[in-house]
Amino acid sequence: MTGLVAGRELARRGHPVEILERWPDVAGQASAFDVGGGVYVDRYYHHLFESDREMIDLHAELLPGSLEWHRSSVGMYARGRVWPFVSPRDL
């Protein structure tokens, strides 16, 4: 997203912009890859919460398409147990 934002800002200021992507799809480090059978894994650890309105709006502007929302299986291990992340929609 950072490269796309930088390109957008340069283009808005009248500079010619060409954006190149190393991976076969867009999103750079925020992308995912298929490990087989249609199961996708984040290329690097990134997450987006439904309350992250600014990032969701930026995604809609720069990478039109729908986001997929999944229940989180992320947790933190502390004091001898795993404390799972709970989405506000699950409260």
Side-chain angles (χ1 to χ4, degrees):
M1 296 295 284
T2 357
L4 294 175
V5 170
R8 177 191 66 181
E9 292 305 311
L10 288 167
R12 283 182 177 169
R13 296 173 188 183
H15 300 282
V17 174
E18 181 177 0
I19 297 175
L20 306 175
E21 178 59 64
R22 176 180 171 193
W23 308 111
D25 57 355
V26 295
Q29 292 187 7
S31 65
F33 61 94
D34 189 346
V35 294
V39 175
Y40 285 82
V41 174
D42 290 342
R43 190 170 302 283
Y44 300 95
Y45 181 74
H46 288 80
H47 60 269
L48 185 65
F49 296 106
E50 291 180 69
S51 59
D52 296 331
R53 292 301 329 155
E54 292 84 4
M55 287 303 294
I56 293 168
D57 293 344
L58 183 62
H59 179 277
E61 177 185 345
L62 299 176
L63 299 169
S66 60
L67 291 169
E68 293 181 19
W69 300 102
H70 302 274
R71 285 188 178 267
S72 175
S73 60
V74 174
M76 293 184 69
Y77 182 79
R79 291 181 268 158
R81 66 172 274 207
V82 175
W83 301 82
F85 166 77
V86 177
S87 170
R89 72 176 169 188
D90 295 333
L91 296 175

